[in-house]
Amino acid sequence: MPLISADQTFALSAIIMLTVAFGLWAESRPWGQKVGGPLLLLAIAMALANTGVIPHSAPVYDQIGGLLVPMAIPLLIMRADFKTIFSESGPMFITFLVATGATFVGALVGVWLIDMGPLEAQIAGTVTSSYIGGSLNFVATAEAVGIRDSSIYVAGLSADAVGAVFFLAALMLMPAIRLVRESLPSKFIGEAHQPKPAVPDASEQTEAAPFNLRQAANGLAVSLTVCALSVALTSILELGSLFILVVTALSVLVANFAKPIVRQVSSEFELGTLLMYIFFVAIGAGADLDEVLGSAFPILLFIGVMVAVHLVLMVSVGRLLKLDLAEVMIASNACILGPAPAAALAASKGWRPLVTPGILVGLFGYAIATFIGVGLTALLS
């Protein structure tokens, strides 16, 4: 029996939130930034569950998965305004579409080469959605395609995180490779741009503003309304299995056609991130360490193939389309790792004009990745 039993809801909730609080603190430290919040939370929760401190299953875990994940989706993509993305991202948007296609092709090659077992189609679709969007899309796609095994969840997320490290290392080496430089000439690389913060001025102003309780409540109200409407629609149409997709679709509609409502919302991304972090702890607690270690390796091989094909295609197609190497690097980063790492890379290199486009195309990835992941699963099935 674990030290804290499954029916001790408040004690389990306290452990979950203490773990989340520690993970958020760790992300403010250089070592925590290297590991990443989601992977750190998974590791801590998995350690607690496998050493007998907390149970592998509990009613509160089910409640977290059923309630908080759908709530997080509208909060995290509420700023995915397609008009702004199309008008302000410029050539970066085309480059991002190439990156998305390269990831999709890489996934098909990975499935052809690597055997991931009976859930291969679901795993491939889920990991691909993460490598076009982010952890939000991983979770949403996994829910949509019916992955319920916590060990598969954690194995996939762990392999995802390890694969991201190798991808980033390969990406940073691209300018040092003569063939790549000659194939993708850049007007940015080699220029003495001065670095700037990793987020655009508008985001800086938003983050610097004091927390607005009323607007945060508005965000939660919008999120729950979207979820309630999604339940009603899927019930009427008898499409309960598509609930997560409907939540995502309605969230995109709100982001693009309900601007007066979105303007009354603030701190929604932070709230959505908090909800997702709570879910990562619940998922980590449900994972058996032996099963995770056994399941992660083929997924990691699949990711390795997918990323390798992605990078090769980015250089090959980029040469045909005469793309800029710096824009290829930022768009590829936005696709595989997300908007924040893309902006951070652009800022660290001093490519100031690419910071905001990197964020915008990354948000676009959040909006479309779940649909692509579910579509790939259906194709492979």
Side-chain angles (χ1 to χ4, degrees), residues 151-167:
S151 296
I152 298 295
Y153 252 111
V154 177
L157 285 166
S158 300
D160 184 314
V162 174
V165 173
F166 287 109
F167 161 77

Side-chain angles (χ1 to χ4, degrees), residues 273-290:
T273 300
L274 176 61
L275 298 182
M276 290 296 293
Y277 276 25
I278 293 171
F279 177 71
F280 288 140
V281 176
I283 284 296
D288 183 275
L289 189 57
D290 291 334

Side-chain angles (χ1 to χ4, degrees), residues 117-130:
L119 293 178
E120 181 173 80
Q122 292 90 330
I123 293 171
T126 299
V127 173
T128 301
S129 72
S130 177

Side-chain angles (χ1 to χ4, degrees), residues 195-211:
K196 64 167 287 182
V199 290
D201 293 341
S203 297
E204 288 174 349
Q205 294 170 4
T206 300
E207 292 179 358
F211 179 77

